[in-house]
């Protein structure tokens, strides 16, 4: 048989599929994660780039602001210097410059103070109240610089503690000269460091942003936000290594990433050295602030990636489950297909499945063996190829469901009879017809043989009766009707005992059945009763027909009439076996039957009872009523005896006034005594003889085989002894062996 496509699908390795699926899902997830990471990295870089640009812009802006502010202050200082020098040239004397100073100071709101010192460093004019302590500023670096270097120009100090109010300030100062050109003093503008810090505070750099202003030695000038740490103190040169490296490589401006020692916050920083002033402006945006959006993006991406992972895992799980279900289905289909193929191939019939076009779609092994084709040679061929009968139409629906005897033809042209049955089946490929073909050659031969046998059976001269296992008549032939007078209607269904004459005892039939059971045959003479009532001796031969399991199925009895010779033999036999006076079996036949019963009892385990019966004082009958009366009484005794026993039991006359009875097949010895008592009673009744009434009694001795004796002669002896014991006791009674004979087993 060809394999179905389902089997090929089932062969596709499921572990291969699972591995590929898992690899694909893992790769897909890795790809998604890679893309997401790439996008995040780009986002991070863009954010950093934007932060760098923002800090650069702010640093530039601040530089301009501070420079503009310092320039304005310088212009004020220069204007004040001009005014002072003009005044000194004009008056050649020192005068009160306070009004001039305050005039200029009022135009500079950024200034903490504006003061004028003379050549000794003593403040001589000021925007605010000032100390007139002589030489108060003489030790200031910027003052000494102006005094010693006429061309010093604008001098900007590092952060200082104001000697006027102790505030942190930086000073911008210029020298002014006397009309002779000598050093006359300095004008000094103070800017509160805190003022600069407030300038920085006005710029929004986020919660963690920072701006600082440092001098060229990187000493802290001011910082926003303020910190109380030593690193953030004015003058502190504690800066990150990254800043030092960046300034070393590019002193003018640059951007770097670092976390400061003072607050440990990671920032993108831009430093910028001011063009005309000794300061670095450093602007830092905290990563946490400017990456807030990126962090949200990161979270969103992580959620998306996780969702994608879960979705793909779920999909994979569902797919694997579906695959497993499909595999289970395929395996079920494959198993069904295997079952189906096994069924087909082990079927005793050739089975051919024919499609709607009448072409062979599928066949079993038996078809190939029966028709002698190869599988491939049959598939696709018209189904009529197998049939020798042309007119059968396999396709027409009406033909399906049909059982019909046809002729088939093998590959080598051999024709043989078949029984074909057509059954329609609906398949996914449309309606098909299953054709089950059975080779009936043997059946045909058997039928022919039976037909012949039947003819013989009908025509034969011997009477034949067939019985079944229940011993009922199932068939008779015309010769049987001629012989017995029974028609088939009267005989068939009746027990075989229909023919019994009642002349045979139990032992006769038992022997017959034993022979039939052992050998299947029996033959002998049997007294049969005709339909007319006449009893006739027939010669019967019985044979047994067995079924395939060896069990008896039929018994065939053949009857033939007993011939004259057989009749003569029968007469002789009767004379030798029966008592002439009483017509009871004589001693010889009795011994025969006793032996038969003993044989049966040996096999069956039952008991046999032998009764010896002797009439009491019979001589007196002879003596008083005459010998004929004695004969008559003996005949009457015979009849009374027979009336007391069953048909299968035997009553015999041994001679004189001695009789015997055999009771066979005894399973319970207590059943024997009532029979013996009945015989006693029957024989004791009055005998109405021609010569007058007579009364006698009898003495009975009973012995059992095998309990009293293990063979016939001994059995006889024991019964005789039991009988004589009764005679001795006074007659008219029943005696048993056990009463007279104490068993001395085994030598009884
Ligand atoms: N009428 C007739 N008598 C016979 C026949 N055969 C034997 N007898 C007689 O039967 C008698 C048998 O007698 P026994 O059995 O010896 O004695 P009994 O009178 O029966 O006494 P017990 O047996 O001792 O009770 C004898 O007289 C025989 O002659 C027969 O065929 N016909």
């Amino acid at each position: 048989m060809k394999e179905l496509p389902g089997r090929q699908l089932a062969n596709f390795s499921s572990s291969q599929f699972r591995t590929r699926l898992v690899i694909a899902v893992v790769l897909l997830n890795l790809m998604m994660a890679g893309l997401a990471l790439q996008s995040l990295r780009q986002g991070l870089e863009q954010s950093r780039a934007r932060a760098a640009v923002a800090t650069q812009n702010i640093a530039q802006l601040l530089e301009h602001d501070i420079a503009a502010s310092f320039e304005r202050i310088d212009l004020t200082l220069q204007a004040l210097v001009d005014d002072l020098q003009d005044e000194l040239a004009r008056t050649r004397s020192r005068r009160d410059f306070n009004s001039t100073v305050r005039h200029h100071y009022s135009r500079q709101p950024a200034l903490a103070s504006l003061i004028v010192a003379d050549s000794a460093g003593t403040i001589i004019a000021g925007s605010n109240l000032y100390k007139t302590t002589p030489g108060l500023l003489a030790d200031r670096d910027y003052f000494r610089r102006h005094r010693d270097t006429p061309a010093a120009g604008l001098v900007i100090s590092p952060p200082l503690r104001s000697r006027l109010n102790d505030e942190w300030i930086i000073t911008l100062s210029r020298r002014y000269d006397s009309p002779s050109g000598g050093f006359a003093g300095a004008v000094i503008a103070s800017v509160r460091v805190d003022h600069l810090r407030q300038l920085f505070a006005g710029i929004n750099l986020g919660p963690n942003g920072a701006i600082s202003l440092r001098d060229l030695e990187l000493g802290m000038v001011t910082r926003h936000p303020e910190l109380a740490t030593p690193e953030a103190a004015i003058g502190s040169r504690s800066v990150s290594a990254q800043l030092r490296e960046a300034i070393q490589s590019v002193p003018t401006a640059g951007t770097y990433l670092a976390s400061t020692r003072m607050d440990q916050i990671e920032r993108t920083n831009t430093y910028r050295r001011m063009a005309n002033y000794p300061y670095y402006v450093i602007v830092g945006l905290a990563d946490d602030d400017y990456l807030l959006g990126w962090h949200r993006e990161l979270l969103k991406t992580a959620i998306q990636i996780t969702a994608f992972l879960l979705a793909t895992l779920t999909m994979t799980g569902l797919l694997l489950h579906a695959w497993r279900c499909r595999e289970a289905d395929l395996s079920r289909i494959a198993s069904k297909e295997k079952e189906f193929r096994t069924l087909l191939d082990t079927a005793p019939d050739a089975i051919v499945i024919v499609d709607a076009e009448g072409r062979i779609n599928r066949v079993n092994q038996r078809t190939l063996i029966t028709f002698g084709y190869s599988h491939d040679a049959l598939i696709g061929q018209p189904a009529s190829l197998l049939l020798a009968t042309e007119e059968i139409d396999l396709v027409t629906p009406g033909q399906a469901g049909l059982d019909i005897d046809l002729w088939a033809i093998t590959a080598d042209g051999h024709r043989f009879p078949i029984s074909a049955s057509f059954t329609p089946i609906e398949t996914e490929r449309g309606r098909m017809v299953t054709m089950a073909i059975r080779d009936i050659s043997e059946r045909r031969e058997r039928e022919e043989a039976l037909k012949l046998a039947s003819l013989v059976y009908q025509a034969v001269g011997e009477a034949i009766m067939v019985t079944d296992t229940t011993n009922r008549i199932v068939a008779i032939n015309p010769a049987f009707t001629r012989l017995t007078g029974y028609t088939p209607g009267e005989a068939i269904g009746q027990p075989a005992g229909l023919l019994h004459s009642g002349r045979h005892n139990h032992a006769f039939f038992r022997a017959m059945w034993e022979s039939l059971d052992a050998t299947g045959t029996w033959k002998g003479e049997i007294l049969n009763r005709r339909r007319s009532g006449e009893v006739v001796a027939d010669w019967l031969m019985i044979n047994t027909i067995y079924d395939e399991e060896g069990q008896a199925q039929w018994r065939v009895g053949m009857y033939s009439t007993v011939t004259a010779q057989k009749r003569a033999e029968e007469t002789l036999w009767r004379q030798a076996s029966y008592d002439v006076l009483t017509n009871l079996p004589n001693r010889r036949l009795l011994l025969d039957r006793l032996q038969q019963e003993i044989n049966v009892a040996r096999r069956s385990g039952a008991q046999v009872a032998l009764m010896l019966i002797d009439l009491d004082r019979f001589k007196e009958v002879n003596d008083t009523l005459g010998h004929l009366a004695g004969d008559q009484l003996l005949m009457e005794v015979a009849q009374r005896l027979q009336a007391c026993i069953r048909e299968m039991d035997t009553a015999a006359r041994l001679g004189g006034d001695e009789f015997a009875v055999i009771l066979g097949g005894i399973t319970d010895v207590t059943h024997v005594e009532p029979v013996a008592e009945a015989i006693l009673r029957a024989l004791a009744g009055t005998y109405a003889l021609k010569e007058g009434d007579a009364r006698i009694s009898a003495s009975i001795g009973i012995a059992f085989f095998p309990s009293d004796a293990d063979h016939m002669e001994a059995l006889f002896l024991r019964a005789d002894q039991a009988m004589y014991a009764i005679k001795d006791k006074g007659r008219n009674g029943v005696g048993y062996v056990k009463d007279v004979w104490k068993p001395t087993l085994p030598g009884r």
Side-chain angles (χ1 to χ4, degrees):
M1 293 257 152
K2 290 268 168 173
E3 302 226 322
L4 280 188
R7 280 194 65 74
Q8 289 158 7
L9 281 175
N11 284 339
F12 179 74
S13 159
S14 77
S15 64
Q16 246 177 18
F17 170 77
R18 274 199 284 269
T19 311
R20 285 179 196 179
L21 183 66
V22 169
I23 290 174
V25 170
V26 168
L27 285 178
L28 188 66
N29 275 282
L30 285 177
M31 200 179 81
M32 285 303 292
L35 286 173
L37 281 179
Q38 170 94 350
S39 154
L40 284 172
R41 210 175 59 206
Q42 278 175 0
L44 181 64
E45 281 167 6
Q46 280 169 6
S47 295
R48 287 202 193 288
R50 274 199 296 274
V53 169
T55 52
Q56 284 159 10
N57 288 340
I58 292 166
Q60 201 169 10
L61 199 72
L62 280 175
E63 185 197 346
H64 284 148
D65 255 20
I66 294 166
S69 184
F70 280 11
E71 271 165 25
R72 274 198 305 277
I73 291 169
D74 191 27
L75 284 173
T76 299
L77 288 175
Q78 285 179 28
L80 185 57
V81 165
D82 287 350
D83 284 355
L84 285 175
Q85 288 183 163
D86 283 355
E87 199 67 34
L88 285 176
R90 243 184 323 114
T91 60
R92 293 266 172 196
S93 64
R94 284 182 57 180
R95 46 175 298 246
D96 182 8
F97 294 126
N98 278 329
S99 61
T100 309
V101 170
R102 285 180 190 142
H103 167 73
H104 284 289
Y105 175 72
S106 66
R107 293 185 183 176
Q108 282 298 336
L111 285 180
S113 67
L114 183 62
I115 54 174
V116 180
D118 65 10
S119 58
T122 305
I123 300 169
I124 56 169
S127 55
N128 316 79
L129 288 176
Y130 53 85
K131 296 176 185 170
T132 54
T133 315
L136 182 69
L137 305 177
D139 61 335
R140 292 291 201 194
D141 285 348
Y142 61 84
F143 186 80
R144 284 208 294 255
R145 180 117 186 268
H146 286 307
R147 189 183 60 198
D148 301 341
T149 313
L154 179 69
V155 172
I156 297 173
S157 76
L160 306 167
R161 286 277 186 193
S162 166
R163 287 185 174 156
L164 299 176
N165 57 12
D166 205 33
E167 276 184 330
W168 278 105
I169 53 166
I170 55 171
T171 62
L172 289 86
S173 55
R174 275 189 178 270
R175 143 190 181 133
Y176 64 94
D177 293 335
S178 62
S180 58
F183 175 66
V187 289
I188 303 132
S190 304
V191 179
R192 275 195 304 276
V193 167
D194 203 43
H195 172 78
L196 290 172
R197 197 186 57 74
Q198 277 166 7
L199 182 72
F200 296 167
I203 293 169
N204 184 6
L205 281 177
N208 296 299
I211 303 174
S212 51
L213 187 70
R214 288 181 182 271
D215 62 25
L216 295 183
E217 272 75 49
L218 297 178
M220 175 67 84
V221 176
T222 187
R223 182 182 191 278
H224 174 79
E226 265 184 312
L227 285 174
T229 61
E231 290 88 357
I234 288 171
S236 164
R237 290 185 182 170
S238 166
V239 292
S240 67
Q242 289 89 334
L243 175 59
R244 280 192 192 285
E245 281 168 23
I247 286 177
Q248 211 165 16
S249 58
V250 185
T252 49
T255 302
Y256 65 97
L257 278 174
S259 64
T260 60
R261 287 189 195 163
M262 51 195 89
D263 58 11
Q264 307 297 333
I265 293 174
E266 190 80 27
R267 292 190 182 88
T268 293
N269 300 292
T270 289
Y271 63 89
R272 217 180 149 77
R273 186 182 165 161
M274 291 180 65
N276 298 314
Y277 302 96
Y279 294 113
Y280 280 107
V281 179
I282 303 164
V283 178
L285 273 173
D287 287 2
D288 285 349
D289 296 339
Y290 73 80
L291 289 180
L292 204 62
W294 182 81
H295 281 143
R296 272 194 221 108
E297 191 65 26
L298 180 69
L299 184 68
K300 207 168 84 184
T301 306
I303 290 170
Q304 283 169 347
I305 289 284
T306 309
F308 184 77
L309 181 70
L310 287 176
T312 50
L313 284 180
T314 309
M315 294 272 290
T316 307
L318 289 173
L319 211 57
L320 285 174
H321 177 71
W323 177 262
R324 269 197 293 273
C325 290
R326 179 176 162 279
E327 271 189 321
D329 284 348
L330 285 177
S331 145
R332 258 199 305 280
I333 290 168
S335 146
K336 288 269 171 231
E337 165 67 13
K338 200 172 165 192
E339 273 174 33
F340 178 59
R341 273 189 300 140
T342 309
L343 263 181
L344 272 189
D345 284 342
T346 52
D349 294 347
I351 294 173
V352 180
I353 298 176
V354 182
D355 67 15
E357 277 81 47
R359 296 192 174 274
I360 296 172
N361 183 272
R362 201 164 181 181
V363 296
N364 67 348
Q365 281 298 324
R366 174 57 57 190
T367 307
L368 306 181
I369 295 165
T370 306
F371 287 90
Y373 286 101
S374 72
H375 179 269
D376 292 343
L378 274 184
I379 301 302
Q381 294 298 316
S384 55
L385 178 72
L386 303 176
L387 300 176
T389 316
E390 305 228 326
E391 59 269 24
I392 187 81
D393 173 10
L394 295 171
V395 187
T396 308
Q399 297 292 353
L402 183 77
D403 289 325
I404 191 167
D405 285 358
L406 297 169
W407 284 87
I409 185 161
T410 63
D412 55 16
H414 168 65
R415 286 163 57 94
F416 63 99
I418 57 165
S419 159
S421 71
F422 301 89
T423 312
I425 46 169
E426 294 299 334
T427 72
E428 56 184 12
R429 280 171 288 172
R431 191 175 199 272
M432 299 208 180
V433 172
T434 301
M435 185 161 75
I437 297 169
R438 178 164 295 185
D439 181 349
I440 55 169
S441 305
E442 277 183 30
R443 196 184 84 193
R444 278 281 164 88
E445 281 165 21
R446 261 201 320 274
E447 281 170 0
E448 294 297 326
L450 269 180
K451 208 190 281 177
L452 186 64
S454 173
L455 281 175
V456 173
Y457 168 77
Q458 295 294 329
V460 76
E462 303 254 356
I464 297 173
M465 176 179 85
V466 182
T467 53
D468 63 13
T469 48
T470 65
N471 212 25
R472 283 190 181 273
I473 300 168
V474 293
I476 57 171
N477 69 347
F480 182 90
T481 305
R482 282 197 297 277
L483 182 76
T484 64
Y486 289 107
T487 64
E490 291 163 335
I492 291 174
Q494 295 299 315
L498 179 71
L499 303 181
H500 282 189
S501 62
R503 298 284 178 84
H504 296 287
N505 64 359
H506 179 69
F508 175 85
F509 288 106
R510 195 175 292 178
M512 176 193 281
W513 280 109
E514 275 173 7
S515 172
L516 284 175
D517 288 341
T519 65
T521 60
W522 183 86
K523 59 185 174 188
E525 197 177 309
I526 186 164
L527 288 167
N528 279 331
R529 194 180 297 279
R530 300 285 185 250
R531 189 173 183 278
S532 59
E534 184 193 2
V535 174
V536 182
D538 289 321
W539 183 254
L540 172 60
M541 199 158 80
I542 304 174
N543 280 304
T544 307
I545 296 172
Y546 298 95
D547 63 14
E548 284 152 4
E549 273 118 46
Q551 297 293 316
Q553 192 176 18
W554 313 112
R555 311 258 186 213
V556 181
M558 291 176 64
Y559 298 84
S560 50
T561 46
V562 178
T563 58
Q565 190 194 337
K566 274 190 191 155
R567 231 174 249 292
E569 286 169 8
E570 159 75 7
T571 308
L572 276 177
W573 178 79
R574 278 200 74 81
Q575 285 169 352
S577 308
Y578 285 85
D579 173 51
V580 182
L581 179 68
T582 60
N583 214 22
L584 288 181
N586 61 13
R587 176 182 286 269
R588 194 176 142 247
L589 186 55
L590 177 100
L591 291 178
D592 265 9
R593 291 199 177 160
L594 183 59
Q595 188 60 58
Q596 276 179 23
E597 288 292 353
I598 284 174
N599 292 345
V600 171
R602 279 206 172 102
R603 288 192 291 272
S604 68
Q607 301 239 25
V608 181
L610 173 65
M611 290 186 195
L612 292 184
I613 305 161
D614 191 276
L615 303 182
D616 300 331
R617 303 189 203 293
F618 173 66
K619 189 166 169 290
E620 287 173 15
V621 176
N622 273 338
D623 291 349
T624 54
L625 298 176
H627 202 86
L628 280 176
D631 285 355
Q632 208 186 333
L633 187 138
L634 290 174
M635 285 190 277
E636 180 70 24
V637 165
Q639 281 168 19
R640 291 188 189 185
L641 265 183
Q642 274 188 314
C644 290
I645 58 172
R646 301 168 298 177
E647 192 182 339
M648 65 182 72
D649 300 326
T650 298
R653 185 181 174 213
L654 301 179
D657 62 348
E658 247 186 81
F659 294 84
V661 165
I662 306 168
L663 304 176
I666 293 166
T667 51
D668 184 354
V669 294
T670 61
H671 291 168
V672 173
E673 188 165 5
V675 180
E677 295 293 340
I679 291 171
L680 270 191
R681 277 196 305 279
L683 298 189
T686 307
Y687 295 82
L689 306 174
K690 278 186 197 152
E691 290 77 11
D693 287 354
R695 286 183 72 94
I696 53 158
S697 61
S699 300
I700 302 176
I702 303 176
F704 292 96
F705 172 89
S707 50
D708 293 330
D710 60 1
H711 61 277
M712 193 176 71
E713 289 75 20
L715 186 68
F716 227 91
L717 186 64
R718 299 282 176 264
D720 207 39
Q721 288 166 337
M723 193 266 284
Y724 277 105
I726 291 297
K727 286 266 185 210
D728 292 346
K729 273 189 185 168
R731 301 179 173 78
N732 190 23
V734 179
Y736 293 90
V737 173
K738 64 182 184 328
D739 300 330
V740 294
W741 188 264
K742 298 293 171 254
T744 52
L745 279 170
R748 291 191 291 183

